[in-house]
Amino acid sequence: EAGVTQFPSHSVIEKGQTVTLRCDPISGHDNLYWYRRVMGKEIKFLLHFVKESKQDESGMPNNRFLAERTGGTYSTLKVQPAELEDSGVYFCASSQRSERYEQYFGPGTRLTVT
Amino acid sequence: GQSLEQPSEVTAVEGAIVQINCTYQTSGFYGLSWYQQHDGGAPTFLSYNALDGLEETGRFSSFLSRSDSYGYLLLQELQMKDSASYFCAHNQAGTALIFGKGTTLSVSS
């Protein structure tokens, strides 16, 4: 069984540019989550999809961040325009409907905004 | 607010036993999870406690006391490969994970 995959693994962009991160969850997992870890700080929740619907987006920092999950499969997280404080590692995770406490994480996308 | 407190660093030697504590302050507590992360890679699930008591999975055990808002991860027979960051986390509203800042465990020979 393939795990959670994320693309790209690294992205370096300039302030003001746009970046789109992609996450492919484990097949059959209805729940998809985005998290972010800024250097030296804890992993923070951004948002949660159940299939194609946003269940909880309370962790999204501002309206420069837009997440989608069309068709309930893969998800994208777009940052537009990027700011310096957006730098960090963005993790995607997925879980089965009944075991939300056991989440399977992808390897992350390391975003550097210069 | 919601917070989980854990030590920032722990050191131990191979073969030893180490306990990583986690105290939490939350609303709507569902259970306490533990995750391991090597070198900034993908966090991997270790264990989950929904009820008070001890859960054992091989060399790792996890404990929860809901009345004390406290839990711990116990690692036995430490190996070099156990050097990693360990995070306690709880489920917010049963869905999103709220993480502690992580404990860096260094195992030496």
Coordinates of all heavy atoms in Angstrom, one line a residue, chain B residues 2-3 10-12 16 18 25 28 30 32 39 55 58 67 70 78 81 83-84 87-88 92 95 98 100 104:
Chain B
Q2 N -5.4 25.8 24.4 CA -5.0 24.4 24.4 C -3.5 24.3 24.4 O -2.9 24.9 23.5 CB -5.7 23.6 23.3 CG -7.2 23.8 23.2 CD -7.8 22.8 22.3 OE1 -7.7 21.6 22.5 NE2 -8.6 23.3 21.3
S3 N -2.9 23.5 25.2 CA -1.5 23.3 25.2 C -1.1 22.0 25.7 O -1.8 21.4 26.5 CB -0.8 24.4 26.0 OG -1.1 24.3 27.4
V10 N 15.9 15.0 26.0 CA 16.2 13.9 26.9 C 17.4 13.1 26.3 O 17.5 12.9 25.1 CB 15.0 12.9 27.0 CG1 15.4 11.7 27.8 CG2 13.8 13.6 27.6
T11 N 18.3 12.8 27.2 CA 19.5 11.9 26.7 C 19.5 10.6 27.5 O 19.1 10.6 28.6 CB 20.8 12.7 26.9 OG1 21.0 13.0 28.2 CG2 20.8 14.0 26.0
A12 N 20.0 9.6 26.8 CA 20.0 8.3 27.5 C 21.1 7.4 26.7 O 21.5 7.8 25.7 CB 18.7 7.6 27.5
A16 N 19.1 1.5 28.0 CA 18.4 2.1 29.1 C 16.9 2.3 28.9 O 16.4 1.9 27.8 CB 19.0 3.5 29.4
V18 N 13.7 5.2 29.1 CA 13.5 6.6 29.2 C 12.0 6.9 29.2 O 11.3 6.2 28.5 CB 14.2 7.4 28.1 CG1 13.6 7.1 26.8 CG2 14.3 8.8 28.4
Q25 N -3.4 20.8 28.6 CA -4.5 21.6 29.1 C -5.4 21.8 27.8 O -4.9 22.5 26.9 CB -4.0 23.0 29.6 CG -5.0 23.9 30.2 CD -4.4 25.1 30.8 OE1 -3.3 25.5 30.4 NE2 -5.1 25.7 31.7
G28 N -12.4 19.6 25.5 CA -12.9 18.6 24.6 C -11.8 17.5 24.3 O -11.5 17.2 23.2
Y30 N -10.1 14.1 23.8 CA -10.6 12.8 23.3 C -9.6 11.7 23.6 O -9.9 10.5 23.8 CB -10.8 12.8 21.8 CG -12.1 13.5 21.4 CD1 -12.2 14.9 21.4 CD2 -13.2 12.8 20.9 CE1 -13.3 15.5 21.0 CE2 -14.3 13.4 20.6 CZ -14.4 14.8 20.6 OH -15.6 15.4 20.3
L32 N -4.9 10.8 23.9 CA -3.5 11.3 23.7 C -2.7 10.4 22.8 O -2.8 9.1 23.0 CB -2.8 11.4 25.1 CG -1.5 12.2 25.1 CD1 -1.7 13.6 24.9 CD2 -0.8 11.9 26.5
D39 N 14.7 13.1 12.0 CA 15.4 14.1 11.1 C 14.4 14.9 10.3 O 14.7 15.2 9.1 CB 16.4 13.4 10.2 CG 17.5 12.6 10.9 OD1 17.9 13.2 12.0 OD2 17.9 11.6 10.5
E55 N -0.8 1.3 27.7 CA -0.9 0.6 26.5 C 0.5 0.2 26.1 O 1.5 1.0 26.1 CB -1.4 1.5 25.4 CG -2.9 1.9 25.5 CD -3.8 0.8 25.2 OE1 -3.4 -0.1 24.5 OE2 -5.0 0.9 25.6
G58 N 5.3 -3.5 22.0 CA 6.7 -3.9 21.9 C 7.5 -3.1 23.0 O 7.2 -3.2 24.2
S67 N -7.5 12.2 34.9 CA -7.7 13.1 36.0 C -6.6 14.0 36.3 O -6.8 15.1 36.9 CB -8.0 12.2 37.3 OG -6.9 11.4 37.5
Y70 N -2.3 14.1 32.3 CA -0.9 13.7 32.2 C -0.8 12.4 31.5 O -1.6 11.5 31.6 CB -0.4 13.6 33.6 CG 0.9 12.9 33.8 CD1 2.1 13.5 33.4 CD2 0.9 11.6 34.3 CE1 3.3 12.8 33.6 CE2 2.1 10.9 34.5 CZ 3.3 11.5 34.1 OH 4.5 10.8 34.3
L78 N 16.6 0.9 24.9 CA 16.8 1.9 23.9 C 17.9 1.4 22.9 O 18.9 0.8 23.3 CB 17.3 3.2 24.6 CG 16.2 4.1 25.2 CD1 16.8 5.2 25.9 CD2 15.2 4.5 24.1
K81 N 18.8 3.8 17.0 CA 17.8 4.2 16.0 C 16.6 4.9 16.7 O 15.7 5.5 16.0 CB 17.3 3.0 15.2 CG 16.5 2.0 16.1 CD 16.0 0.8 15.2 CE 15.1 -0.2 16.0 NZ 14.6 -1.3 15.2
S83 N 16.9 7.4 18.5 CA 17.2 8.9 18.5 C 16.3 9.6 17.5 O 16.3 9.3 16.3 CB 18.6 9.1 18.2 OG 19.5 8.6 19.1
A84 N 15.4 10.5 18.0 CA 14.4 11.1 17.2 C 13.7 12.1 18.0 O 14.0 12.3 19.2 CB 13.4 10.0 16.7
F87 N 6.6 13.4 19.9 CA 5.5 14.4 20.1 C 4.3 13.8 20.7 O 3.9 12.7 20.3 CB 5.1 15.0 18.7 CG 6.1 15.8 18.0 CD1 7.0 15.2 17.2 CD2 6.2 17.2 18.2 CE1 8.0 15.9 16.5 CE2 7.2 17.9 17.5 CZ 8.1 17.2 16.6
C88 N 3.8 14.4 21.8 CA 2.5 14.0 22.2 C 1.5 14.9 21.5 O 1.8 16.1 21.1 CB 2.4 14.2 23.8 SG 2.7 15.8 24.5
Q92 N -8.2 17.4 18.6 CA -9.2 18.5 18.8 C -10.5 18.1 18.2 O -10.6 17.8 17.0 CB -8.6 19.8 18.1 CG -9.6 20.9 18.2 CD -8.9 22.2 17.6 OE1 -8.1 22.8 18.2 NE2 -9.3 22.4 16.3
T95 N -10.7 15.2 15.7 CA -10.2 15.2 14.3 C -8.8 15.7 14.2 O -7.8 14.9 14.3 CB -11.1 16.1 13.4 OG1 -11.1 17.4 13.9 CG2 -12.5 15.5 13.3
I98 N -3.5 18.3 17.8 CA -2.8 19.4 18.4 C -1.5 18.9 19.1 O -1.6 18.0 20.0 CB -3.7 20.1 19.5 CG1 -5.0 20.5 18.9 CG2 -2.9 21.4 20.0 CD1 -5.0 21.5 17.7
G100 N 2.3 18.9 20.9 CA 3.3 19.5 21.8 C 4.5 19.9 21.0 O 4.6 19.6 19.8
T104 N 13.3 16.0 21.9 CA 14.4 15.4 21.2 C 15.1 14.4 22.1 O 15.7 14.7 23.1 CB 15.4 16.4 20.7 OG1 14.7 17.4 19.9 CG2 16.5 15.8 19.9

